[in-house]
Amino acid sequence: MSSAAHIAPGTAPEESHLALKESICQGRFVGLDDKDAVHLLHGAFGPELERLRNATAASELGNTGFSPVESEDEDDRYRRSPSRQLFGADHDEVNRTLTAMLALKWILSANYGAFSRCQTPSTRLRQESFEALKQYFDDVLLTPEDVYSLLVAVVVNDLGKDPGLAEEIAARFGKNLNHDIVVYEAAKADLIPCMRQLDPNTRDNIMLGLQMGSELNAAQLAQAENVPGNLEGLLKMRGHGHAFSLKFLELLLDVSGAVGHVDGSCAKMLTEPVFQTFMAARDALVDIMAGQSTLRAGYDRVLLKRDSMLRETGFRALSISQPEERALLRLLTMGRTIDKAQAELFAGAFYALPQSTRKQLVDGLSVDGYEDGTAILPYYMPAMMSEGIKNMGGMEASAQQDGLGSLMRFLARVVRGTKPSPGQPGVIKERNLLFARDTIRSEAFRKNPSVLDDLQFPAEGSDTFE
């Protein structure tokens, strides 16, 4: 192990950041052993990682894929939790963030094996896609300062999940805010130490990315969680192409580390279907920024990509011009569906809904939130679908379809009362659905999915349910 990778205890923050910057400038960072890189990153971003230790647990949990002991087997070293290496215990957001940072190292060093080694073989990122991914990073990261600033963006990204920071920002605004807004406001208030290490131009780029993230969550676009009206904030990025590109690279790294709390031994989530979906989202966002696409048309490119992927598996074509079929495409995208069998279950559940419920769902999923009235953003609905699908795994197809039907009825209740109203001012209301997680992952739901029908919603106007 190289001693140059470690930061001496008591090292001043500026010196710690300088060690990382020098490692990047001299080309040593990309060649470091993963464990050495973790310690180097900890030295540079200690205060930020401490905040992430306090962050709320990840929304989609599972059994850790890391080795339970500190094995000396060289082949097993990469399976140790980064958080456990540093703190002796697992902290979800520390593991997710450091896995994302390691993913940058794997990409820049063209280490396809490390990047994809724990991915499911059937959906593993293809070699040619990895090469395209690396080329994209190379095209954007033109200087060592770009690489360093991207690491800053990654470690800052989820700081809003620290309850202490969220409470401090809430006290200033008199209400609770979502974590993307929290971190943007914290950065504006100079509460994030690593931001002070950036030169003014680079800091401006990161601030633009944080502002964009507070108004537009591109990951929500990629899984059709948000609505076309959310893309309006993208217009502020016009003329700031480099800032946008840095933000999108950060998003790809965030996805790469998304299940780092479950298994951080590779970029487990950035599989071939996910990569293709996010590239479609990027192209849509670029076209909107360039004025070559409307918000609705850009949004629908993501749905059309899901349609194309599913048609390749033998599933029937769906039309975005037909409200019911477009709504089904949104559901399939939220469900991260990539195979014909699951798509058929979704379609069966959708068309088995009572007509009034299906209409309610279609109406609610058809509002853009831009010059057509009030749209609901069902925050965490893709995660809730993932929980439900996982809970019903291994059961008969009819039972799985019943589970999906229950989730669709739940979503219909979430969007109830909304429908496209052309000419009306656009409004977007965010409804946090994490309150349903315990029910959806319960044994009671597995036995009888209709228990979700009886779940009471938070009071209208509460912090999590506008």
Side-chain angles (χ1 to χ4, degrees), residues 8-77:
T11 302
E14 293 80 6
E15 295 177 6
S16 300
H17 285 276
L18 183 59
L20 175 58
K21 288 181 177 180
E22 287 182 347
S23 180
I24 294 169
C25 287
Q26 296 169 7
R28 291 185 289 108
F29 174 71
V30 297
L32 288 176
D33 173 90
D34 286 355
K35 188 171 184 179
D36 288 350
V38 164
H39 284 276
L40 182 63
L41 293 165
H42 178 229
F45 302 116
E48 290 76 21
L49 292 173
E50 284 295 328
R51 282 200 180 275
L52 290 173
R53 288 179 71 181
N54 300 324
T56 50
S59 62
E60 295 175 66
L61 303 176
N63 296 322
T64 179
F66 297 112
S67 297
V69 295
E70 289 290 313
S71 168
E72 292 304 318
D73 188 325
E74 190 69 22
D75 292 334
D76 195 46
R77 289 178 66 194

Side-chain angles (χ1 to χ4, degrees), residues 159-200:
L159 291 182
K161 295 179 181 179
D162 170 27
L165 186 61
E167 289 171 9
E168 185 171 349
I169 298 300
R172 299 184 182 210
F173 284 83
K175 63 178 182 179
N176 293 327
L177 302 168
N178 75 44
H179 67 86
D180 291 316
I181 299 176
V182 167
V183 71
Y184 174 55
E185 294 298 334
K188 284 170 59 178
D190 195 29
L191 297 178
I192 302 175
C194 67
M195 294 285 289
R196 302 171 196 148
Q197 304 300 320
L198 300 172
D199 65 55

